[in-house]
Amino acid sequence: MRAFRFDFPSMGCPCSLQLEAADEASAASAAARARAEVARLDEKYSHYRDDNWLARICAGARGDHGIEVDDETANLLDFADALHAQSAARFDITAGPLTRLWDLQRGRLPTHEEIDDARARVGWSRVSWVRPRLRLPLPGTRLDLGGIVKEYAADRAAQCCRDSGVMHGIVDLGGDLAVIGAHADGKPWLAGIKAPRDPRQPCATIEIAGGGLATSGDYERALVVGGRRYSHIIDPRSGWPVEGFASVSVIAASCLVAGAAATLAMLLGIDEGGAYLRELGLPFLCVDQAGRPSGSIETLA
């Protein structure tokens, strides 16, 4: 077995595939299939585009009778619906107007009027979703699946490699990992978890031989005003960024589940989020605002 690495940009972040295969042709074929799948999902579900599948779904769902969606989309909506319930409405895929509002700021906080205007277009509880039919009754409401699609894409890319006959490797989409299979010699992969206040450096290194690892944190696209940091993770109930953990990393059977658990813990805050992770029983690592790690993931020195 030989090791091969393929780097590529997608979903607004640097991505890579580390594969072990008998020859370069086998690795390249698997990598091409995996990259095509990530690109397909990026095009289909990007909320930054007005001409893709997600935009057409949202436009069609505004009619009196709504629109029927495909099975893949229905599965993601069912998953998002479950996360909305588990998080007491903190995880909300209609919260795109709030996310974009905070993303668009340049050195200033949004006004209360801007936040109230965005919140008026947010609310999964007001959406009609009875599989497979979706209806968006609020004018201006759009779905934003960015909180789950990247992790789903990592899992799909890993499966594409397996389907291509490559059974040893790891998918990395901007730090969200899906393990195709352990090294050919059976050893686990080594994965670094970024330090929230210096993402160029790992705050921990762990071994992972299967499933997925995902991290949610306040260091990506954070807004700093008056020396105070405002996370890009927004609580849709208030319209303001969450406060609490600097980052949460979770290991699960899939990257999708790991990412959902990490995001919910960030949304729930230190007390509720910590209790949620402990009850969930998945390996996790939390980093507080002072950079102190805690959790059940065994890290390497």
Side-chain angles (χ1 to χ4, degrees):
M1 288 287 178
R2 296 166 57 195
F4 302 92
R5 182 183 175 106
F6 303 87
D7 295 306
F8 62 101
S10 191
M11 296 191 166
C13 61
C15 305
S16 70
L17 300 167
Q18 296 183 60
L19 308 178
E20 294 180 353
D23 52 66
E24 184 175 2
S26 299
S29 177
R33 186 170 178 179
R35 289 180 60 174
E37 180 69 352
V38 174
R40 178 187 73 84
L41 292 168
D42 188 23
E43 192 282 330
K44 182 176 182 179
Y45 292 116
S46 172
H47 67 278
Y48 293 105
R49 300 184 57 164
D50 294 320
D51 60 348
N52 64 349
W53 175 248
L54 182 62
R56 291 193 292 273
I57 286 176
C58 292
R62 294 192 185 99
D64 291 339
H65 302 290
I67 189 173
E68 287 193 5
V69 303
D70 60 283
D71 284 343
E72 181 174 57
T73 302
N75 290 337
L76 290 173
L77 293 181
D78 280 345
F79 190 68
D81 184 54
L83 297 180
H84 182 265
Q86 291 176 25
S87 66
R90 293 174 177 90
F91 186 95
D92 192 321
I93 60 172
T94 69
L98 286 167
T99 303
R100 284 187 287 275
L101 176 64
W102 284 88
D103 277 350
L104 288 172
Q105 300 312 306
R106 294 295 182 268
R108 72 172 182 90
L109 300 179
T111 66
H112 290 289
E113 290 76 13
E114 289 172 325
I115 292 173
D116 288 342
D117 177 69
R119 287 179 63 211
R121 290 172 279 141
V122 172
W124 176 253
S125 60
R126 291 179 278 183
V127 171
S128 174
W129 167 239
V130 181
R131 186 182 179 123
R133 186 164 293 276
L134 173 73
R135 187 168 71 88
L136 303 176
L138 292 179
T141 298
R142 286 191 60 173
L143 303 183
D144 180 356
L145 296 172
I148 54 179
V149 164
K150 182 155 67 79
E151 294 85 352
Y152 172 68
D155 291 331
R156 287 294 309 136
Q159 188 57 49
C160 284
C161 291
R162 297 187 198 102
D163 292 343
S164 298
V166 172
M167 308 305 291
H168 309 285
I170 192 165
V171 178
D172 181 348
L173 301 188
D176 291 327
L177 311 179
V179 179
I180 301 162
H183 284 288
D185 61 6
K187 292 181 180 179
W189 294 88
L190 296 181
I193 296 175
K194 293 179 179 179
R197 296 299 171 260
D198 187 4
R200 296 168 299 178
Q201 301 294 327
C203 68
T205 302
I206 67 170
E207 294 181 338
I208 182 169
L213 166 68
T215 298
S216 182
D218 70 359
Y219 51 88
E220 298 287 350
R221 307 194 311 274
L223 172 67
V224 179
V225 177
R228 181 175 177 181
R229 176 182 296 269
Y230 295 88
S231 170
H232 74 286
I233 302 174
I234 311 300
D235 186 335
R237 302 171 308 167
S238 66
W240 283 77
V242 299
E243 297 180 347
F245 294 120
S247 71
V248 178
S249 302
V250 178
I251 295 175
S254 70
C255 188
L256 178 61
V257 171
T263 299
L264 260 61
M266 287 289 296
L267 287 165
L268 291 170
I270 290 179
D271 293 335
E272 284 188 72
Y276 163 76
L277 290 169
R278 290 189 293 272
E279 182 179 353
L280 202 59
L282 296 173
F284 70 92
L285 180 70
C286 300
V287 180
D288 67 15
Q289 296 295 330
R292 293 184 296 260
S294 63
S296 59
I297 287 180
E298 294 186 7
T299 61
L300 303 177

